[in-house]
Amino acid sequence: MEVKVWSYLKEYETNKEEIIKAITDVLESGVLILGEKGRELERQYSKYIGTKYAVGCDNGTNAIVLALRALGVGEGDEVITVSNTAIPTVSAIVTTGAIPVFVDINPRTYLMDVTKLEAAITPKTKCIVPVHIFGQCVDMDPLFEVAKKHNLFVLEDVAQAQGAEYKGKKAGSMGNISTTSFYPTKILGTYGDGGMVNMNSKELHDKMKRLRFYGAETTYYAQEQGYNSRLDEIHASILLTKLPHIEEYINRRREIAAIYDRELADTSLILPFVEDYGKHAYYLYVIRHQKRDEIITKLKENNIFANISYPWPIHTMTGYQYLGYKEGDFPETEAAAKEILSLPMYPTLSNEEVMYVCEVIHKILNE
């Protein structure tokens, strides 16, 4: 048996006719960019997470760039986030001309440690970017207290937490603005790149629409400096076929997580810690062990493919050395990066495959 860390092939095979029809409908419509499919996805995704507005983008990275631009973040501003995140979170901040400022993580959840926010704030701080990583939300109430006290914007990065909840509110519905990615591996993913920005402010909505379209509201006339960052109709149409099933996807992920929880409870692994304030969507099922690399190697020998998210904290990367951080600055982030791994997690995994993963892990740990 082979168990991949992620695969879309079973899902595609099951929904092939619907996906092909969605693509064909677009191709036969005569409209490929900024059409009704994109507008309908914006309406439906906003309704799903509980915001008034949404603007589709070409990918999740540019969604963050444009969201920051819409908030007025630019050259010399500081944006607080975490080093335990995907490169795009930080790359997007840098693209605006702003300076990423990191805080350490909570060692139980791997999410931003909001108790460290205040110490990171300077007169240049303009925005906080909480990353709802692995499928669970950052503790937002104390974060908002800090943001309000210092008059800071909050941009939620929801790329890994579509459908997750914080005290009954969907991830992406709480900040001044939020972004998500529709990269294929995401809980709601297309078969290529895509992104979305959500907000409740009409002013931010209108600015975002201009920013993704060269700064223009009508063709050939720019009201401000903008970009080319449009979600095309084919990907919007594919996403419209999948969005009605997102809760099914999440429920299945939670079922798989429950099997892992049960079957691996008596091992030396550190299993995911779930905060009681929210609903975990299990984009990833992240475990921890001091012999992480050995476990991954032996899993691979048994045709089970795990992943590390993320093996190198951003502040330790050569590309971000200019920020002035050094190893040891964020001990919890650095310790986690040496020990965490992600087990296979996607809705089309069978119980048999999940049990096989658990059996092999038991065998590895008992050798």
Side-chain angles (χ1 to χ4, degrees), residues 42-270:
E42 290 168 348
R43 286 191 289 268
Q44 288 195 23
Y45 191 75
S46 283
K47 183 179 179 181
Y48 171 68
I49 70 166
T51 59
K52 291 181 181 178
Y53 307 106
V55 178
C57 295
D58 57 343
N59 59 64
T61 309
N62 284 338
I64 299 173
V65 173
L66 299 192
L68 289 168
R69 289 286 194 203
L71 293 172
V73 174
E75 201 71 36
D77 291 329
E78 292 180 354
V79 177
I80 301 175
T81 190
V82 288
S83 183
N84 179 46
T85 185
I87 297 169
T89 305
V90 179
S91 172
I93 294 169
V94 173
T95 298
T96 68
I99 303 162
V101 174
F102 300 122
V103 296
D104 213 346
I105 58 170
N106 179 321
R108 297 191 300 177
T109 62
Y110 314 118
L111 296 161
M112 177 184 282
D113 184 344
V114 295
T115 67
K116 300 188 182 302
L117 270 175
E118 200 122 35
I121 294 171
T122 76
K124 293 182 178 180
T125 307
K126 193 155 188 176
C127 184
I128 304 170
V129 179
V131 183
H132 301 314
I133 206 166
F134 304 155
Q136 186 167 212
C137 291
V138 172
D139 193 357
M140 295 299 287
D141 282 352
L143 185 147
F144 282 126
E145 286 179 20
V146 173
K148 185 177 181 181
K149 178 180 176 182
H150 295 274
N151 196 29
L152 304 175
F153 293 115
V154 175
L155 186 162
E156 295 177 75
D157 182 343
V158 191
Q160 296 194 12
Q162 296 157 334
E165 295 179 7
Y166 177 80
K167 297 184 178 181
K169 298 175 183 176
K170 285 278 195 295
S173 67
M174 298 171 279
N176 298 97
I177 201 163
S178 71
T179 65
T180 196
S181 166
F182 298 128
Y183 186 74
T185 62
K186 304 306 181 189
I187 292 171
L188 179 66
T190 186
Y191 298 127
D193 270 315
M196 186 78 81
V197 181
N198 284 80
M199 69 292 286
N200 288 310
S201 161
K202 188 175 189 306
E203 182 182 353
L204 283 177
H205 170 254
D206 293 346
K207 188 171 183 66
M208 267 297 311
K209 285 181 71 176
R210 291 193 298 271
L211 288 172
R212 74 163 176 190
F213 185 52
Y214 312 113
E217 289 186 358
T218 58
T219 306
Y220 305 128
Y221 187 93
Q223 292 182 258
E224 58 186 302
Q225 168 62 26
Y227 307 84
N228 177 8
S229 179
R230 302 167 296 197
L231 177 66
D232 70 66
E233 288 289 278
I234 287 178
H235 288 307
S237 188
I238 291 168
L239 288 161
L240 280 169
T241 71
K242 298 176 76 172
L243 180 56
H245 304 290
I246 188 170
E247 288 299 318
E248 296 169 31
Y249 301 155
I250 292 168
N251 288 340
R252 177 56 187 158
R253 287 171 179 272
R254 288 169 62 84
E255 287 175 2
I256 293 167
I259 297 173
Y260 280 140
D261 285 347
R262 183 186 71 236
E263 297 298 322
L264 300 175
D266 61 348
T267 68
S268 54
L269 297 169
I270 297 174

Side-chain angles (χ1 to χ4, degrees), residues 295-312:
I295 291 170
I296 289 178
T297 298
K298 290 185 176 179
L299 284 172
K300 190 173 181 181
E301 289 171 1
N302 286 273
N303 289 318
I304 297 169
F305 298 89
N307 191 39
I308 305 171
S309 301
Y310 298 94
W312 299 284

